């Protein structure tokens, strides 16, 4: 073997090997970025989040939207609001069911077809506090708890429903009069005499302004409706039924006449107006 001829070849091979080993592997530049992220049009329960999504490389987006929480650094395990469609560029997501009087933190996100998750920068926004007589949660706010995040709303005018209280001669155990008892009262009435009750059943089966959890207000809740009667829009001064029973034959009602507004006991078999409420 002629080693003199072999040496140049070995030198060239060694040089190629050294050069190739000295090169760094080409990095994967594929990524997703977000810019111009903002949250606007904030009300007491909803907001509009927008961002601009940019894809660099061959990544395929399978899901995008926003994550949010009342704590910083939300992720996809927090509250997740998905976009209705996949869109590169500027996109918007309507965020509903926000808690009033709260601060939220939000980030845009995207998930790729190979399950990689990308996030944009975090932004924060404040949901204002609800006020009495606000139009909120399907009706008019008539009561708020100390936190300002929970309360009672009255259905707005236009239902035009009157009926007997029902359950004539049947005692409904456990109904109360105080604020916060109307929902339990309504359930107790339906459980005791579901075939004969009228007022409670109307409220319980009502769908109004997108909500289905209405109930017949208690005596004290009904007094709140009288207090805010102008904002609610009552169009008559007649009595409205409460869900608070007095005995087997009578229940409490609230007159809406400014000159005679003391709660009264009425016979369950007589027909009077009904105005549902719901809690949030």
């Amino acid at each position: 073997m002629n080693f003199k001829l072999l040496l140049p070849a070995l030198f060239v091979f060694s040089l190629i090997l050294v050069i190739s080993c000295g090169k760094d592997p080409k990095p994967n530049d594929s990524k997703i970025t977000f810019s111009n992220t903002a949250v606007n049009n904030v009300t007491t329960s909803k907001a509009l989040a927008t961002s601009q999504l940019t894809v660099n490389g061959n990544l395929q987006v399978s899901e995008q939207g926003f994550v949010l929480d009342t704590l910083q650094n939300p992720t996809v395990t927090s509250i997740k609001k998905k976009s209705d469609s996949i869109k590169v560029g500027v996109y918007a997501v309507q965020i509903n069911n926000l808690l009033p009087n709260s601060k939220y933190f939000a980030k845009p996100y995207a998930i790729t077809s190979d399950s990689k998750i990308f996030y944009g920068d975090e932004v924060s926004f404040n949901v204002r506090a609800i006020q009495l007589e606000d139009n909120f949660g399907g009706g008019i706010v008539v009561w708020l708890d100390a936190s300002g995040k929970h309360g009672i709303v009255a259905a707005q005018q236009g239902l035009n429903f009157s009926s007997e209280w029902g359950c004539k001669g049947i005692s409904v155990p456990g109904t109360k009069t105080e604020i916060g008892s109307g929902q339990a009262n309504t359930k107790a009435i339906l459980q005791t005499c579901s075939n004969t009750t009228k007022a409670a059943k109307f409220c319980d089966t009502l769908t109004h302004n997108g909500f289905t959890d209405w109930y017949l207000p208690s005596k004290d809740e009904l007094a709140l409706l009288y207090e805010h009667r102008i904002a609610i829009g009552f169009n008559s001064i007649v009595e409205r039924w409460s869900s608070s029973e007095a005995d087997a034959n009578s229940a409490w009602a609230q007159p809406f006449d400014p000159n005679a507004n003391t709660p009264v006991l009425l016979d369950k078999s007589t027909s009077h107006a009904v105005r549902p409420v719901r809690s949030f």
Side-chain angles (χ1 to χ4, degrees):
M1 180 178 293
N2 191 335
F3 288 99
K4 291 183 178 180
L5 295 177
L6 184 60
L7 286 174
L10 289 173
F11 175 79
V12 172
F13 176 79
S14 300
L15 184 61
I16 293 174
L17 184 62
V18 169
I19 292 173
S20 63
C21 290
K23 287 185 178 180
D24 292 326
K26 186 177 180 180
N28 183 0
D29 294 327
S30 296
K31 62 181 178 179
I32 292 175
T33 58
F34 299 88
S35 58
N36 302 319
T37 300
V39 177
N40 296 300
N41 301 336
V42 182
T43 70
T44 52
S45 62
K46 59 186 179 181
L48 183 67
T50 58
S51 190
Q52 183 170 341
L53 182 150
T54 302
V55 178
N56 297 313
N58 297 320
L59 295 172
Q60 296 294 319
V61 178
S62 61
E63 179 181 315
Q64 69 189 91
F66 280 82
V67 291
L68 67 151
D69 205 331
T70 53
L71 302 175
Q72 289 183 286
N73 196 32
T75 67
V76 291
T77 61
S78 307
I79 302 170
K80 185 170 68 169
K81 301 293 183 180
K82 293 170 57 176
S83 178
D84 292 334
S85 60
I86 305 301
K87 183 180 179 182
V88 175
V90 177
Y91 71 99
V93 174
Q94 182 72 50
I95 301 173
N96 298 316
N97 303 317
L98 296 171
L99 287 175
N101 197 25
S102 300
K103 183 175 183 177
Y104 282 90
F105 301 89
K107 291 192 294 189
Y109 80 94
I111 301 176
T112 63
S113 56
D114 57 352
S115 301
K116 293 179 180 177
I117 304 174
F118 293 84
Y119 295 103
D121 291 336
E122 180 180 273
V123 296
S124 64
F125 63 98
N126 293 297
V127 182
R128 78 165 178 85
I130 293 176
Q131 300 174 359
L132 290 173
E133 300 189 353
D134 271 355
N135 191 323
F136 176 83
I140 303 298
V141 179
V142 296
W143 180 79
L144 291 167
D145 70 0
S147 73
K149 299 179 181 181
H150 305 284
I152 296 173
V153 300
Q156 295 165 295
Q157 62 182 354
L159 297 175
N160 298 321
F161 180 79
S162 297
S163 75
E164 301 175 5
W165 199 89
C167 292
K168 174 75 172 182
I170 302 174
S171 179
V172 180
T175 65
K176 299 178 181 179
T177 61
E178 61 262 31
I179 294 171
S181 62
Q183 192 167 34
N185 289 351
T186 301
K187 291 180 179 179
I189 294 167
L190 295 171
Q191 290 172 355
T192 303
C193 45
S194 60
N195 293 329
T196 59
T197 184
K198 304 290 179 62
K201 182 174 288 186
F202 170 77
C203 298
D204 183 67
T205 58
L206 176 67
T207 297
H208 178 62
N209 288 340
F211 293 90
T212 59
D213 55 349
W214 300 94
Y215 57 89
L216 190 63
S218 69
K219 175 176 173 283
D220 292 350
E221 291 168 345
L222 196 56
L224 295 171
L225 273 62
Y226 173 82
E227 183 179 344
H228 299 282
R229 64 192 182 281
I230 296 175
I232 297 169
F234 280 105
N235 53 14
S236 69
I237 62 174
V238 300
E239 297 89 351
R240 270 80 176 179
W241 280 122
S242 83
S243 58
S244 302
E245 181 189 82
D247 54 45
N249 297 310
S250 61
W252 287 100
Q254 171 69 52
F256 279 73
D257 184 347
N259 299 313
N261 54 58
T262 302
V264 294
L265 286 172
L266 298 175
D267 189 288
K268 289 180 177 181
S269 63
T270 56
S271 183
H272 300 282
V274 172
R275 184 59 65 93
V277 300
R278 63 176 297 273
S279 299
F280 64 90

